[in-house]
Amino acid sequence: TAPACARTREAHDFAMAEPTVGVCWTRNMVTFALDKPGFGLVPHEWGELHTSVATLLLSGEVGVGSCVFTEAPRHVVDRAMRLWTAKRPGLQAAHSAPHYGVEGVPSGSLFDFVLPTSDARSLLAGAAEAIGEGGQVSAMLTKLESANFRNKSSLATKLLSRTGRLANLAAAPFNVTLFLDDDTFFCPPPSPTPPPAPPPSKPRASEAATPPASSLPPAAAARCSHGVRSAASAPTRPSSSAA
């Protein structure tokens, strides 16, 4: 069998000699500015994505790749992930997870691929133009801008975001791809099953009469231990009745 083709961030021909499996997310409509300190990132836009990809990489799944579709370039995405790792040190090990068959991934990056997200506005405009309704898209989006969605964003933003997500399904870099929402996280790998405990030995008759000190109430256990030590070290005295 021919070896799997090397893949790069810019590649769009992902034909592989062997099937590849990966998980993809879309984090579109994000805020960033390359000319601002810290790239002008809005941290809450990246928090759920960070948890999702980091827990994937720590879940013990071998050979599963990762990708994100977004407007931000890789170095901005990596900066956003590092910001959240600083707040969640328990996920630090995810930055050392291996990348499978992918070349050119910067050290410590959580994603095998950072790909440009679909231009939803152009897609909608093109579809409307094809049926002779080109002017309707702008009018619709303008109207939806005034309608809020859960007081967080406008319906126009939500429509463009969801349209972009759907279009990204056709651009998956893997042969088999699971697309996830940001708020999905992975459980840690199961702990190794300890070997079964040996069966308890049957106590001798002399041991059966008195329960072990650890099974007694604390005060009783202290008295029992003290009595055993005293009996082993003190000389025997005759009782008053024997005098």
Side-chain angles (χ1 to χ4, degrees), residues 174-231:
F174 308 107
N175 297 117
V176 180
T177 306
L178 174 65
F179 278 85
L180 291 179
D181 288 335
D182 296 2
D183 59 358
T184 304
F185 68 92
F186 292 81
C187 297
S191 301
T193 304
S201 57
K202 186 176 181 180
R204 295 189 296 272
S206 59
E207 295 175 340
T210 303
S214 60
S215 66
L216 298 173
R223 289 194 302 269
C224 178
S225 299
H226 178 74
V228 170
R229 289 196 297 270
S230 298

CSV table of all heavy atoms in Angstrom, one decimal, residues 174-231:
chain,number,residue,atom,x,y,z
A,174,PHE,N,-10.7,15.5,6.0
A,174,PHE,CA,-10.6,14.1,6.3
A,174,PHE,C,-11.5,13.2,5.5
A,174,PHE,O,-12.6,13.7,5.0
A,174,PHE,CB,-10.8,13.8,7.8
A,174,PHE,CG,-10.0,14.7,8.7
A,174,PHE,CD1,-10.6,15.7,9.4
A,174,PHE,CD2,-8.6,14.5,8.9
A,174,PHE,CE1,-9.9,16.5,10.2
A,174,PHE,CE2,-7.9,15.3,9.7
A,174,PHE,CZ,-8.5,16.4,10.4
A,175,ASN,N,-11.2,11.9,5.3
A,175,ASN,CA,-12.1,11.0,4.6
A,175,ASN,C,-13.4,10.8,5.4
A,175,ASN,O,-14.5,10.7,4.8
A,175,ASN,CB,-11.4,9.7,4.3
A,175,ASN,CG,-10.2,9.8,3.4
A,175,ASN,OD1,-9.1,9.5,3.8
A,175,ASN,ND2,-10.4,10.3,2.2
A,176,VAL,N,-13.2,10.7,6.7
A,176,VAL,CA,-14.3,10.5,7.6
A,176,VAL,C,-14.2,11.6,8.6
A,176,VAL,O,-13.2,11.7,9.4
A,176,VAL,CB,-14.3,9.1,8.3
A,176,VAL,CG1,-15.5,9.0,9.3
A,176,VAL,CG2,-14.3,8.0,7.3
A,177,THR,N,-15.3,12.5,8.7
A,177,THR,CA,-15.2,13.7,9.6
A,177,THR,C,-16.4,13.8,10.4
A,177,THR,O,-17.5,13.6,10.0
A,177,THR,CB,-15.1,14.9,8.7
A,177,THR,OG1,-14.0,14.8,7.8
A,177,THR,CG2,-14.9,16.2,9.6
A,178,LEU,N,-16.2,14.1,11.7
A,178,LEU,CA,-17.2,14.4,12.7
A,178,LEU,C,-17.2,15.9,12.9
A,178,LEU,O,-16.2,16.4,13.4
A,178,LEU,CB,-17.0,13.6,14.0
A,178,LEU,CG,-18.0,13.9,15.1
A,178,LEU,CD1,-19.4,13.5,14.8
A,178,LEU,CD2,-17.5,13.2,16.4
A,179,PHE,N,-18.3,16.5,12.5
A,179,PHE,CA,-18.4,18.0,12.8
A,179,PHE,C,-19.1,18.2,14.1
A,179,PHE,O,-20.2,17.6,14.4
A,179,PHE,CB,-19.2,18.7,11.7
A,179,PHE,CG,-18.4,19.0,10.5
A,179,PHE,CD1,-18.2,18.1,9.5
A,179,PHE,CD2,-17.8,20.3,10.4
A,179,PHE,CE1,-17.4,18.4,8.4
A,179,PHE,CE2,-17.0,20.6,9.3
A,179,PHE,CZ,-16.8,19.7,8.3
A,180,LEU,N,-18.5,19.0,15.0
A,180,LEU,CA,-19.0,19.2,16.4
A,180,LEU,C,-19.3,20.6,16.6
A,180,LEU,O,-18.7,21.5,16.1
A,180,LEU,CB,-18.0,18.7,17.4
A,180,LEU,CG,-17.8,17.2,17.5
A,180,LEU,CD1,-16.8,16.9,18.5
A,180,LEU,CD2,-19.1,16.4,17.8
A,181,ASP,N,-20.3,20.9,17.5
A,181,ASP,CA,-20.5,22.2,18.1
A,181,ASP,C,-19.4,22.5,19.1
A,181,ASP,O,-18.8,21.6,19.7
A,181,ASP,CB,-21.9,22.3,18.7
A,181,ASP,CG,-23.0,22.3,17.7
A,181,ASP,OD1,-22.7,22.7,16.6
A,181,ASP,OD2,-24.1,22.0,18.1
A,182,ASP,N,-19.1,23.8,19.3
A,182,ASP,CA,-18.1,24.2,20.3
A,182,ASP,C,-18.3,23.6,21.7
A,182,ASP,O,-17.4,23.4,22.4
A,182,ASP,CB,-18.0,25.7,20.4
A,182,ASP,CG,-17.6,26.3,19.1
A,182,ASP,OD1,-17.4,25.6,18.1
A,182,ASP,OD2,-17.4,27.6,19.0
A,183,ASP,N,-19.6,23.5,22.1
A,183,ASP,CA,-19.9,23.1,23.5
A,183,ASP,C,-19.9,21.6,23.7
A,183,ASP,O,-20.4,21.1,24.7
A,183,ASP,CB,-21.2,23.7,23.9
A,183,ASP,CG,-22.4,23.2,23.0
A,183,ASP,OD1,-22.2,22.5,22.1
A,183,ASP,OD2,-23.5,23.6,23.3
A,184,THR,N,-19.3,20.8,22.8
A,184,THR,CA,-19.1,19.4,23.0
A,184,THR,C,-17.8,19.1,23.6
A,184,THR,O,-16.7,19.7,23.1
A,184,THR,CB,-19.2,18.7,21.6
A,184,THR,OG1,-20.5,19.0,21.0
A,184,THR,CG2,-19.2,17.2,21.8
A,185,PHE,N,-17.7,18.3,24.6
A,185,PHE,CA,-16.4,18.0,25.2
A,185,PHE,C,-16.3,16.5,25.4
A,185,PHE,O,-17.3,15.8,25.4
A,185,PHE,CB,-16.1,18.7,26.5
A,185,PHE,CG,-17.0,18.3,27.6
A,185,PHE,CD1,-16.6,17.3,28.5
A,185,PHE,CD2,-18.2,18.9,27.9
A,185,PHE,CE1,-17.4,16.9,29.6
A,185,PHE,CE2,-19.0,18.5,28.9
A,185,PHE,CZ,-18.6,17.5,29.8
A,186,PHE,N,-15.1,16.0,25.5
A,186,PHE,CA,-14.8,14.5,25.5
A,186,PHE,C,-14.5,14.1,26.9
A,186,PHE,O,-13.8,14.8,27.6
A,186,PHE,CB,-13.7,14.2,24.5
A,186,PHE,CG,-14.0,14.4,23.1
A,186,PHE,CD1,-14.0,15.6,22.5
A,186,PHE,CD2,-14.4,13.3,22.3
A,186,PHE,CE1,-14.3,15.8,21.2
A,186,PHE,CE2,-14.7,13.5,21.0
A,186,PHE,CZ,-14.7,14.7,20.4
A,187,CYS,N,-14.9,12.9,27.3
A,187,CYS,CA,-14.6,12.3,28.6
A,187,CYS,C,-13.1,11.8,28.6
A,187,CYS,O,-12.6,11.4,27.5
A,187,CYS,CB,-15.5,11.2,28.9
A,187,CYS,SG,-17.2,11.7,29.0
A,188,PRO,N,-12.5,11.9,29.7
A,188,PRO,CA,-11.1,11.4,29.8
A,188,PRO,C,-11.1,9.8,29.6
A,188,PRO,O,-12.1,9.2,29.8
A,188,PRO,CB,-10.7,11.7,31.2
A,188,PRO,CG,-11.9,11.9,32.0
A,188,PRO,CD,-13.0,12.4,31.0
A,189,PRO,N,-10.0,9.3,29.2
A,189,PRO,CA,-9.9,7.8,29.1
A,189,PRO,C,-10.2,7.1,30.4
A,189,PRO,O,-9.9,7.7,31.5
A,189,PRO,CB,-8.5,7.6,28.6
A,189,PRO,CG,-7.7,8.8,29.0
A,189,PRO,CD,-8.7,9.9,29.0
A,190,PRO,N,-10.8,5.9,30.3
A,190,PRO,CA,-11.0,5.2,31.6
A,190,PRO,C,-9.8,4.8,32.3
A,190,PRO,O,-8.7,4.5,31.7
A,190,PRO,CB,-11.8,4.0,31.1
A,190,PRO,CG,-11.4,3.8,29.7
A,190,PRO,CD,-11.2,5.2,29.2
A,191,SER,N,-9.8,4.9,33.6
A,191,SER,CA,-8.7,4.5,34.4
A,191,SER,C,-8.4,3.0,34.3
A,191,SER,O,-9.4,2.2,34.1
A,191,SER,CB,-8.9,4.8,35.9
A,191,SER,OG,-9.1,6.2,36.0
A,192,PRO,N,-7.2,2.5,34.3
A,192,PRO,CA,-6.9,1.1,34.3
A,192,PRO,C,-7.7,0.3,35.4
A,192,PRO,O,-7.8,0.8,36.5
A,192,PRO,CB,-5.4,0.9,34.5
A,192,PRO,CG,-4.9,2.3,34.1
A,192,PRO,CD,-6.0,3.3,34.5
A,193,THR,N,-8.3,-0.8,35.0
A,193,THR,CA,-9.0,-1.6,36.0
A,193,THR,C,-8.0,-2.3,37.0
A,193,THR,O,-7.1,-3.0,36.5
A,193,THR,CB,-9.9,-2.7,35.3
A,193,THR,OG1,-10.7,-2.0,34.4
A,193,THR,CG2,-10.7,-3.5,36.3
A,194,PRO,N,-8.1,-2.0,38.3
A,194,PRO,CA,-7.2,-2.7,39.2
A,194,PRO,C,-7.4,-4.2,39.3
A,194,PRO,O,-8.5,-4.6,39.0
A,194,PRO,CB,-7.5,-2.0,40.6
A,194,PRO,CG,-8.9,-1.6,40.4
A,194,PRO,CD,-9.1,-1.2,39.0
A,195,PRO,N,-6.4,-4.9,39.5
A,195,PRO,CA,-6.6,-6.4,39.6
A,195,PRO,C,-7.5,-6.7,40.8
A,195,PRO,O,-7.6,-6.0,41.8
A,195,PRO,CB,-5.2,-6.9,39.9
A,195,PRO,CG,-4.4,-5.7,40.5
A,195,PRO,CD,-5.0,-4.5,39.8
A,196,PRO,N,-8.3,-7.8,40.7
A,196,PRO,CA,-9.2,-8.2,41.8
A,196,PRO,C,-8.4,-8.5,43.1
A,196,PRO,O,-7.3,-9.0,43.1
A,196,PRO,CB,-9.9,-9.4,41.2
A,196,PRO,CG,-9.0,-10.0,40.2
A,196,PRO,CD,-8.3,-8.8,39.6
A,197,ALA,N,-9.0,-8.0,44.1
A,197,ALA,CA,-8.4,-8.3,45.5
A,197,ALA,C,-8.5,-9.7,45.8
A,197,ALA,O,-9.4,-10.4,45.5
A,197,ALA,CB,-9.1,-7.4,46.5
A,198,PRO,N,-7.4,-10.2,46.5
A,198,PRO,CA,-7.5,-11.7,46.9
A,198,PRO,C,-8.6,-11.9,47.9
A,198,PRO,O,-8.9,-11.0,48.6
A,198,PRO,CB,-6.1,-11.9,47.5
A,198,PRO,CG,-5.6,-10.5,47.9
A,198,PRO,CD,-6.2,-9.6,46.9
A,199,PRO,N,-9.2,-13.1,47.9
A,199,PRO,CA,-10.2,-13.3,48.9
A,199,PRO,C,-9.6,-13.2,50.3
A,199,PRO,O,-8.5,-13.6,50.6
A,199,PRO,CB,-10.6,-14.8,48.6
A,199,PRO,CG,-9.5,-15.4,47.8
A,199,PRO,CD,-8.9,-14.3,47.1
A,200,PRO,N,-10.4,-12.7,51.3
A,200,PRO,CA,-9.9,-12.6,52.6
A,200,PRO,C,-9.7,-14.0,53.2
A,200,PRO,O,-10.4,-14.9,53.0
A,200,PRO,CB,-11.1,-11.9,53.4
A,200,PRO,CG,-12.3,-12.2,52.5
A,200,PRO,CD,-11.8,-12.3,51.1
A,201,SER,N,-8.6,-14.1,54.0
A,201,SER,CA,-8.3,-15.3,54.7
A,201,SER,C,-9.2,-15.6,55.9
A,201,SER,O,-9.6,-14.6,56.5
A,201,SER,CB,-6.8,-15.3,55.1
A,201,SER,OG,-6.6,-14.2,56.0
A,202,LYS,N,-9.5,-16.8,56.1
A,202,LYS,CA,-10.3,-17.1,57.2
A,202,LYS,C,-9.6,-16.9,58.6
A,202,LYS,O,-8.5,-17.4,58.8
A,202,LYS,CB,-10.8,-18.6,57.1
A,202,LYS,CG,-11.8,-19.0,58.1
A,202,LYS,CD,-12.3,-20.4,57.9
A,202,LYS,CE,-13.4,-20.8,58.9
A,202,LYS,NZ,-13.8,-22.2,58.7
A,203,PRO,N,-10.1,-16.1,59.5
A,203,PRO,CA,-9.4,-15.9,60.7
A,203,PRO,C,-9.3,-17.1,61.6
A,203,PRO,O,-10.2,-18.0,61.6
A,203,PRO,CB,-10.3,-14.8,61.4
A,203,PRO,CG,-11.6,-15.0,60.8
A,203,PRO,CD,-11.4,-15.5,59.4
A,204,ARG,N,-8.2,-17.2,62.4
A,204,ARG,CA,-8.1,-18.3,63.3
A,204,ARG,C,-9.1,-18.1,64.5
A,204,ARG,O,-9.6,-17.0,64.7
A,204,ARG,CB,-6.7,-18.4,63.9
A,204,ARG,CG,-5.7,-18.7,62.8
A,204,ARG,CD,-4.3,-19.0,63.4
A,204,ARG,NE,-3.7,-17.8,64.0
A,204,ARG,CZ,-3.0,-16.9,63.4
A,204,ARG,NH1,-2.8,-17.1,62.1
A,204,ARG,NH2,-2.5,-15.8,64.0
A,205,ALA,N,-9.3,-19.1,65.3
A,205,ALA,CA,-10.3,-19.0,66.3
A,205,ALA,C,-9.9,-17.9,67.3
A,205,ALA,O,-10.8,-17.2,67.8
A,205,ALA,CB,-10.4,-20.3,67.1
A,206,SER,N,-8.6,-17.7,67.6
A,206,SER,CA,-8.2,-16.7,68.6
A,206,SER,C,-8.4,-15.3,68.0
A,206,SER,O,-8.7,-14.4,68.8
A,206,SER,CB,-6.7,-16.9,69.0
A,206,SER,OG,-5.9,-16.8,67.8
A,207,GLU,N,-8.3,-15.2,66.7
A,207,GLU,CA,-8.5,-13.8,66.1
A,207,GLU,C,-10.0,-13.5,66.0
A,207,GLU,O,-10.4,-12.4,66.0
A,207,GLU,CB,-7.9,-13.8,64.7
A,207,GLU,CG,-6.3,-13.9,64.8
A,207,GLU,CD,-5.7,-14.0,63.4
A,207,GLU,OE1,-6.5,-14.4,62.5
A,207,GLU,OE2,-4.5,-13.7,63.3
A,208,ALA,N,-10.8,-14.5,65.8
A,208,ALA,CA,-12.2,-14.3,65.6
A,208,ALA,C,-13.0,-13.8,66.8
A,208,ALA,O,-14.0,-13.1,66.7
A,208,ALA,CB,-12.9,-15.6,65.1
A,209,ALA,N,-12.4,-14.0,68.0
A,209,ALA,CA,-13.0,-13.6,69.2
A,209,ALA,C,-13.1,-12.1,69.3
A,209,ALA,O,-14.0,-11.5,69.9
A,209,ALA,CB,-12.4,-14.2,70.4
A,210,THR,N,-12.0,-11.4,68.9
A,210,THR,CA,-11.9,-9.9,69.0
A,210,THR,C,-11.8,-9.3,67.6
A,210,THR,O,-10.9,-9.7,66.9
A,210,THR,CB,-10.7,-9.5,69.8
A,210,THR,OG1,-10.8,-10.2,71.1
A,210,THR,CG2,-10.6,-8.0,70.0
A,211,PRO,N,-12.6,-8.4,67.2
A,211,PRO,CA,-12.5,-7.7,65.9
A,211,PRO,C,-11.2,-6.9,65.9
A,211,PRO,O,-10.7,-6.5,66.9
A,211,PRO,CB,-13.8,-6.8,65.9
A,211,PRO,CG,-14.1,-6.6,67.3
A,211,PRO,CD,-13.7,-7.8,68.0
A,212,PRO,N,-10.7,-6.7,64.7
A,212,PRO,CA,-9.5,-5.9,64.6
A,212,PRO,C,-9.7,-4.5,65.1
A,212,PRO,O,-10.8,-4.0,65.0
A,212,PRO,CB,-9.1,-5.9,63.1
A,212,PRO,CG,-10.4,-6.3,62.5
A,212,PRO,CD,-11.1,-7.2,63.4
A,213,ALA,N,-8.6,-3.8,65.6
A,213,ALA,CA,-8.8,-2.5,66.2
A,213,ALA,C,-9.4,-1.5,65.2
A,213,ALA,O,-10.1,-0.6,65.6
A,213,ALA,CB,-7.4,-2.0,66.7
A,214,SER,N,-9.1,-1.6,63.9
A,214,SER,CA,-9.6,-0.7,62.9
A,214,SER,C,-11.1,-0.7,62.8
A,214,SER,O,-11.7,0.2,62.3
A,214,SER,CB,-8.9,-0.9,61.6
A,214,SER,OG,-9.2,-2.2,61.1
A,215,SER,N,-11.7,-1.8,63.1
A,215,SER,CA,-13.2,-1.9,63.0
A,215,SER,C,-13.9,-1.5,64.3
A,215,SER,O,-15.1,-1.4,64.3
A,215,SER,CB,-13.6,-3.3,62.7
A,215,SER,OG,-13.3,-4.2,63.7
A,216,LEU,N,-13.2,-1.1,65.3
A,216,LEU,CA,-13.8,-0.7,66.5
A,216,LEU,C,-13.9,0.9,66.5
A,216,LEU,O,-13.3,1.5,65.8
A,216,LEU,CB,-12.9,-1.1,67.7
A,216,LEU,CG,-12.7,-2.6,67.9
A,216,LEU,CD1,-11.7,-2.8,69.0
A,216,LEU,CD2,-14.0,-3.2,68.3
A,217,PRO,N,-14.8,1.4,67.4
A,217,PRO,CA,-14.9,2.8,67.5
A,217,PRO,C,-13.5,3.3,68.0
A,217,PRO,O,-12.7,2.6,68.6
A,217,PRO,CB,-15.9,3.0,68.6
A,217,PRO,CG,-16.8,1.8,68.6
A,217,PRO,CD,-15.8,0.7,68.2
A,218,PRO,N,-13.1,4.6,67.7
A,218,PRO,CA,-11.8,5.1,68.0
A,218,PRO,C,-11.4,4.9,69.4
A,218,PRO,O,-10.3,4.5,69.7
A,218,PRO,CB,-11.9,6.6,67.6
A,218,PRO,CG,-12.9,6.6,66.5
A,218,PRO,CD,-13.9,5.6,66.9
A,219,ALA,N,-12.3,5.3,70.3
A,219,ALA,CA,-11.9,5.2,71.8
A,219,ALA,C,-11.7,3.7,72.1
A,219,ALA,O,-10.7,3.4,72.9
A,219,ALA,CB,-13.0,5.8,72.6
A,220,ALA,N,-12.5,2.8,71.6
A,220,ALA,CA,-12.4,1.4,72.0
A,220,ALA,C,-11.1,0.9,71.3
A,220,ALA,O,-10.4,0.1,72.0
A,220,ALA,CB,-13.6,0.6,71.5
A,221,ALA,N,-10.8,1.3,70.1
A,221,ALA,CA,-9.5,0.8,69.5
A,221,ALA,C,-8.3,1.3,70.2
A,221,ALA,O,-7.4,0.5,70.4
A,221,ALA,CB,-9.5,1.4,68.0
A,222,ALA,N,-8.3,2.5,70.7
A,222,ALA,CA,-7.2,3.0,71.5
A,222,ALA,C,-7.0,2.2,72.8
A,222,ALA,O,-5.9,1.8,73.2
A,222,ALA,CB,-7.4,4.5,71.9
A,223,ARG,N,-8.1,1.9,73.4
A,223,ARG,CA,-8.0,1.1,74.7
A,223,ARG,C,-7.5,-0.3,74.3
A,223,ARG,O,-6.7,-0.9,75.1
A,223,ARG,CB,-9.4,1.0,75.4
A,223,ARG,CG,-9.8,2.3,76.0
A,223,ARG,CD,-11.0,2.1,76.9
A,223,ARG,NE,-12.1,1.5,76.3
A,223,ARG,CZ,-13.1,2.2,75.7
A,223,ARG,NH1,-13.1,3.5,75.7
A,223,ARG,NH2,-14.2,1.5,75.2
A,224,CYS,N,-8.0,-0.9,73.3
A,224,CYS,CA,-7.6,-2.2,72.9
A,224,CYS,C,-6.1,-2.3,72.6
A,224,CYS,O,-5.4,-3.2,73.1
A,224,CYS,CB,-8.4,-2.7,71.7
A,224,CYS,SG,-7.9,-4.4,71.1
A,225,SER,N,-5.5,-1.3,71.8
A,225,SER,CA,-4.1,-1.3,71.5
A,225,SER,C,-3.3,-1.1,72.7
A,225,SER,O,-2.3,-1.8,72.9
A,225,SER,CB,-3.9,-0.2,70.5
A,225,SER,OG,-4.6,-0.4,69.3
A,226,HIS,N,-3.7,-0.2,73.6
A,226,HIS,CA,-3.0,0.1,74.8
A,226,HIS,C,-2.9,-1.2,75.7
A,226,HIS,O,-1.9,-1.5,76.2
A,226,HIS,CB,-3.6,1.2,75.6
A,226,HIS,CG,-2.9,1.5,76.9
A,226,HIS,ND1,-1.7,2.1,76.9
A,226,HIS,CD2,-3.3,1.2,78.1
A,226,HIS,CE1,-1.3,2.3,78.2
A,226,HIS,NE2,-2.3,1.7,79.0
A,227,GLY,N,-4.0,-1.9,75.8
A,227,GLY,CA,-4.0,-3.1,76.6
A,227,GLY,C,-3.1,-4.2,76.1
A,227,GLY,O,-2.5,-4.9,76.9
A,228,VAL,N,-3.0,-4.4,74.8
A,228,VAL,CA,-2.2,-5.4,74.2
A,228,VAL,C,-0.7,-5.1,74.5
A,228,VAL,O,0.1,-5.9,74.9
A,228,VAL,CB,-2.4,-5.5,72.7
A,228,VAL,CG1,-1.4,-6.4,72.0
A,228,VAL,CG2,-3.8,-6.0,72.4
A,229,ARG,N,-0.3,-3.8,74.3
A,229,ARG,CA,1.1,-3.4,74.6
A,229,ARG,C,1.4,-3.6,76.1
A,229,ARG,O,2.5,-4.0,76.4
A,229,ARG,CB,1.3,-2.0,74.1
A,229,ARG,CG,1.3,-1.8,72.6
A,229,ARG,CD,1.9,-0.5,72.3
A,229,ARG,NE,1.1,0.6,72.8
A,229,ARG,CZ,0.1,1.2,72.2
A,229,ARG,NH1,-0.2,0.8,71.0
A,229,ARG,NH2,-0.6,2.2,72.7
A,230,SER,N,0.5,-3.2,76.9
A,230,SER,CA,0.8,-3.4,78.4
A,230,SER,C,0.9,-4.8,78.8
A,230,SER,O,1.8,-5.2,79.6
A,230,SER,CB,-0.4,-2.7,79.2
A,230,SER,OG,-0.5,-1.4,78.9
A,231,ALA,N,0.1,-5.7,78.2
A,231,ALA,CA,0.2,-7.1,78.6
A,231,ALA,C,1.5,-7.7,78.1
A,231,ALA,O,2.0,-8.6,78.7
A,231,ALA,CB,-1.0,-7.8,78.0
